[in-house]
Amino acid sequence: MTGQSATPIQDVITAILDTTDQDKMALFASIQDHPMLQEAQTFARNGQPERFLYALPYPLERVVDGLLQTVLPGKREAQFILRQYRFLNVHFQKIIQRREGFGCSGDKSRSILDRLLQYYLTGKEVAFDPGERYTFGHPTTIFTTHREIVEFF
């Protein structure tokens, strides 16, 4: 690989990220005239984080909460998992990485959360069947039992 640099790879990555940013900006542009977004833009420009929070993220969170309470009445744990999925995923994943390493830690964490959500929706306890077609998403040394998973959650 003489005479070649990593620039083409960097260019590809930059192009992918730019496309993602452009998609976000195009989505925003399509709804930016909404009064709630107008107000949030003003607070963002003026460096008013609390006012920004109450102008946009907080009302959107309330919509999500209302949706979950309507669709899953009385299922507070399931609502929490859906509302805080990224937060929970990060914490399960960090513990898995410490005990089992980085390999498939994301798959394992998602697998745990998917089964935990099903438990709170249906009552079916969390279990990992070694006979399943794909087992790379199964934890091997930690979070291997229903009790351990529920207690950590």
Side-chain angles (χ1 to χ4, degrees):
M1 201 169 148
T2 53
Q4 292 182 341
S5 69
T7 303
I9 293 171
Q10 291 172 342
D11 290 345
V12 169
I13 293 170
T14 299
I16 290 170
L17 294 175
D18 286 347
T19 300
T20 301
D21 288 344
Q22 289 170 4
D23 290 346
K24 291 176 193 175
M25 291 170 62
L27 174 60
F28 172 70
S30 71
I31 60 171
Q32 72 181 358
D33 291 333
H34 188 281
M36 181 186 289
L37 294 173
Q38 290 288 314
E39 186 178 47
Q41 289 176 73
T42 300
F43 295 144
R45 278 191 206 102
N46 294 338
Q48 297 174 295
E50 282 193 37
R51 293 190 80 183
F52 174 80
L53 175 71
Y54 287 108
L56 188 62
Y58 181 68
L60 292 176
E61 288 173 16
R62 291 187 56 174
V63 169
V64 170
D65 288 345
L67 179 148
L68 293 174
Q69 289 170 7
T70 300
V71 174
L72 303 172
K75 296 189 181 277
R76 298 185 77 168
E77 292 87 352
Q79 293 172 22
F80 184 81
I81 291 169
L82 290 168
R83 190 183 318 107
Q84 299 295 332
Y85 186 84
R86 282 191 274 176
F87 171 82
L88 293 167
N89 189 36
V90 165
H91 287 284
F92 272 105
Q93 193 170 349
K94 282 183 180 181
I95 301 295
I96 292 167
Q97 288 170 351
R98 285 187 199 143
R99 292 287 293 272
E100 298 184 8
F102 286 82
C104 298
S105 61
D107 295 310
K108 293 173 183 180
S109 178
R110 285 187 299 276
S111 184
I112 290 167
L113 285 171
D114 291 349
R115 291 166 198 233
L116 186 61
L117 177 59
Q118 288 307 307
Y119 167 66
Y120 287 114
L121 290 174
T122 68
K124 180 182 177 188
E125 289 197 2
V126 178
F128 297 98
D129 180 1
E132 288 180 26
R133 184 172 178 186
Y134 300 107
T135 59
F136 60 86
H138 294 184
T140 56
T141 62
I142 190 164
F143 302 130
T144 58
T145 67
H146 173 80
R147 182 177 176 187
E148 185 180 16
I149 292 167
V150 170
E151 285 178 1
F152 180 76
F153 169 72

